[in-house]
Amino acid sequence: MTFSQQIHLAVALEGAGWHPAAWREPDAVPAVGLLSADYWLDQVRTAQSGLLDFVTLEDGFPLQSDAASGHDGRTDRVRGRLDAAMVAARVAPLTARIGLVPTVTTTHTEPFHVSKTIATLDYASTGRAGWRAQIGAQAAEFPLFGRRAPAPDPADLFEEAGDHVEAVRRLWDSWEDEAEIRDVATGRFVDREKLHYIDFESRHFNVRGPSITPRPPQGQPPVVALAHAALSYAFAARSADVVLVTPHTPEAVAPILDDLHSAQDTAGRSAQPLLVFGEFVVFLDADPAAAITRKERLDEADGTAYRSDAPIFAGSPDALADQLAQWAHAGLDGFRLRPGTVPRDLDAIVHGLVPALQRRGLFRHAYEAETLRGNLGLSRPANRYAPARAA
């Protein structure tokens, strides 16, 4: 099989790695390091040295847990985390080309706050911000805020998430690009005619606007969503620029793409680009047997075989490159990889997988744009309010 389409590549940064026993590895960062800005900066710089499109930073309000209802009582795994958007803001001026995509929940936050947080990150990173929008459905997180009953209907949460993203997108457009005029002669700093009320009203939010933060450098920072099934496909099709999916075979890709395209039609966004990334948890070593053995050792340390919503790959970077080529041929635009352990698997992605993809003509040899949208091949969208003002 010959497949030559360039693919996109991202990594998902989480704790000491995605395997629950990753923190026990000899080369894992000491516990206090997980709360160090330098730890996250080192990972982002490593990913940037591999020319990756973006990193995502995991986040959530309750303690990490395997129990859907809340705390699982385990004390032998990484618990606690830093705020993802704050970490992204810290590393933004210390990196140059890679996209920074923090996870921010849509369930317990207000669109106004999220809009200015991501817009500010886009300014701090000079156009490299994104937003992984995620619902918060665990019962344990609702009492942290005390504003609503726990565990409402998931369909309601996804509907709210769609309204949340729409309100944020309108707030990003509430300043036209030329609204800040700085006309010393007339003493006018802004052109008030180019600031807009958004007057967004839904069952979940009534947001008037305008934003306090001028339109971000990218106009609309890319929105990223993880989707596993119909409800989340509908949310991603309505709201996202990049959707992360978890097929477990190449044959499962086409039905997912059909579902997403159908959902885009329903949402009236069939003309909008929607990049589809596959997900893998990866354990990589030059010797495939060593990668498998390492994962088995981690499983034994944790007391259970590691399971994930995403397919798990243990083998060599070259074998993973062949697999990604096969899955891209099935219709995926790129992949978000979850390193099983850090730093080993992140290093193997950058120093093993990326060169293997480059040898196959499947990955870039240099960044091709200054912004995250540019590297993803997404154009900068026009401001929805500018044509209305000019008419």
Side-chain angles (χ1 to χ4, degrees), residues 317-373:
D318 270 302
L320 179 59
D322 288 337
Q323 186 154 323
L324 297 189
Q326 182 185 11
W327 290 50
H329 188 63
L332 296 174
D333 299 293
F335 300 90
R336 186 181 75 150
L337 304 179
R338 308 176 188 178
T341 67
V342 172
R344 177 176 293 193
D345 293 310
L346 178 58
D347 289 343
I349 290 170
V350 169
H351 301 298
L353 175 64
V354 167
L357 291 171
Q358 289 170 331
R359 288 193 297 272
R360 290 160 174 78
L362 298 175
F363 196 66
R364 63 168 68 97
H365 288 265
Y367 279 112
E368 297 159 351
E370 300 290 332
T371 68
L372 174 55
R373 290 191 72 93

Side-chain angles (χ1 to χ4, degrees), residues 151-219:
D153 180 4
D156 194 59
L157 291 178
F158 277 111
E159 180 187 271
E160 178 188 57
D163 289 350
H164 193 300
V165 174
E166 178 61 22
V168 168
R169 286 188 180 280
R170 293 189 189 195
L171 286 165
W172 286 337
D173 277 349
S174 64
W175 288 56
E176 294 184 34
D177 290 319
E178 300 81 17
E180 186 177 319
I181 55 177
R182 295 173 179 255
D183 188 339
V184 175
T186 63
R188 295 170 68 221
F189 188 85
V190 298
D191 182 346
R192 188 63 185 82
E193 295 299 315
K194 295 183 177 179
L195 270 62
H196 302 273
Y197 296 119
I198 68 168
D199 291 324
F200 179 78
E201 296 184 2
S202 76
R203 189 165 67 86
H204 301 283
F205 303 104
N206 293 324
V207 182
R208 190 179 194 203
S211 175
I212 189 63
T213 307
R215 196 175 195 231
Q218 296 181 97

Side-chain angles (χ1 to χ4, degrees), residues 8 169 218 220-224 240-242 272-275 369 371-381:
H8 296 285
R169 286 188 180 280
Q218 296 181 97
Q220 294 278 319
V223 175
V224 179
D241 302 288
V242 179
Q272 300 295 319
L274 179 63
L275 300 177
T371 68
L372 174 55
R373 290 191 72 93
N375 281 312
L376 291 172
L378 301 172
S379 61
R380 188 177 190 273

Side-chain angles (χ1 to χ4, degrees), residues 122-144:
D122 208 38
Y123 278 101
S125 63
T126 59
R128 294 180 288 118
W131 169 30
R132 190 166 90 79
Q134 176 176 268
I135 68 167
Q138 289 191 14
E141 61 193 86
F142 289 82
L144 298 175

